[in-house]
Amino acid sequence: MSLETKRIKELFGYARTLTKEQGVGVMAGRAVGFFKRRFFGKKARYLPSKQTLETQRADAAARADGWPTISILTPLYNTPPQFLQQFLDSVQAQTAPNWQLVLVDASDGAHPDVGETVRTRATQDKRIVYAKIENKGIAANTNEAAKLAAGEYLALADHDDMLAPHAVYCMSKALAESGAAFAYSDEALFEKTPEHPRVGHFKPDYAPGVPDGRQLHLPSGRVQKIAVRRRRR
């Protein structure tokens, strides 16, 4: 089954569920909005306007001291320079300041530029933590990053991801207000620019089996998916 066929099946499945749970009127409204965005929109719906982002920055500046810090754990391995720069830019462009970016670098000797790039950023922004490690695989490398994390919540990100500018703001604000142990977002995949996504993955509002039974679904938190979980001390 091709990716396009799979996504179409997922979309129709979502439409059936929405119609059953909320009625034909709601589904029709969503369908109209979808086609407007898909065929006439110039900007992805998950990216807020500049005015909204500035409002978030002002709100976070006033209230973020009471919000949890989210440590973003990212193992690096021979990361292409363009992807690394885009990822770092997307984290530092967050509208909320309460994040920590933990980067553990298992790149081989042919890619010293990875560490050089991150160390330069880390000297300019103390929220970025860098460590050179031995490559033991993605799981073990991620655990090494977790050891360096200082935040109350942990999030995982791949080295070629990009965070939407409001990701940390939406997550940390919602977690502070709800006390949830776990929060997760929708996902958009793109080939060239985040403004023109190729595929959107829209997650359900509840997934059983999450510790404490407390979780939040925050639509459009990220260009790629993001899941934030309270760490165990």
Side-chain angles (χ1 to χ4, degrees):
M1 182 185 298
S2 68
L3 179 62
E4 288 76 10
T5 301
K6 182 179 179 181
R7 298 299 174 250
I8 290 172
K9 289 185 66 176
E10 291 176 349
L11 184 60
F12 276 99
Y14 169 75
R16 286 194 299 271
T17 300
L18 185 63
T19 301
K20 181 179 179 180
E21 295 180 351
Q22 300 187 36
V24 176
V26 173
M27 182 59 237
R30 295 282 183 90
V32 170
F34 171 81
F35 282 103
K36 283 183 177 179
R37 290 188 301 270
R38 181 66 178 83
F39 297 105
F40 302 105
K42 294 184 178 180
K43 193 171 185 179
R45 67 169 179 160
Y46 53 80
L47 294 175
S49 66
K50 291 183 179 179
Q51 181 178 358
T52 298
L53 294 177
E54 290 306 313
T55 299
Q56 290 180 359
R57 292 185 194 280
D59 185 39
R63 299 202 291 158
D65 286 346
W67 297 350
T69 297
I70 297 174
S71 291
I72 304 163
L73 313 180
T74 304
L76 304 174
Y77 182 75
N78 298 350
T79 312
Q82 178 183 358
F83 292 162
L84 181 57
Q85 295 285 1
Q86 289 176 336
F87 174 59
L88 294 172
D89 288 346
S90 75
V91 175
Q92 292 187 286
Q94 292 298 301
T95 55
N98 50 307
W99 54 264
Q100 177 195 38
L101 179 59
V102 183
L103 301 163
V104 290
D105 181 16
S107 299
D108 59 32
H111 295 82
D113 56 297
V114 175
E116 293 168 0
T117 296
V118 177
R119 283 192 294 268
T120 298
R121 295 282 188 123
T123 60
Q124 301 167 352
D125 192 331
K126 299 305 180 183
R127 294 172 296 178
I128 298 176
V129 176
Y130 172 81
K132 181 66 177 175
I133 63 171
E134 179 185 353
N135 186 21
K136 295 182 179 180
I138 185 68
N141 293 356
T142 301
N143 288 336
E144 290 300 311
K147 294 176 183 178
L148 302 174
E152 298 94 320
Y153 286 83
L154 302 179
L156 306 182
D158 292 334
H159 64 176
D160 56 353
D161 282 352
M162 292 178 66
L163 270 67
H166 58 314
V168 171
Y169 175 88
C170 291
M171 288 290 179
S172 57
K173 180 180 179 181
L175 290 168
E177 293 173 350
S178 68
F182 182 76
Y184 60 102
S185 76
D186 294 333
E187 175 184 15
L189 305 180
F190 63 93
E191 294 180 349
K192 295 183 179 179
T193 66
E195 289 78 12
H196 298 90
R198 184 170 181 265
V199 176
H201 294 165
F202 303 103
K203 312 296 176 61
D205 287 341
Y206 176 74
V210 173
D212 300 337
R214 306 188 68 188
Q215 55 184 318
L216 296 173
H217 171 221
L218 303 179
S220 312
R222 206 169 187 272
V223 176
Q224 282 278 356
K225 76 278 186 188
I226 185 170
V228 180
R229 176 176 180 150
R230 182 185 291 130
R231 68 184 305 177
R232 295 179 179 178
R233 298 288 185 177

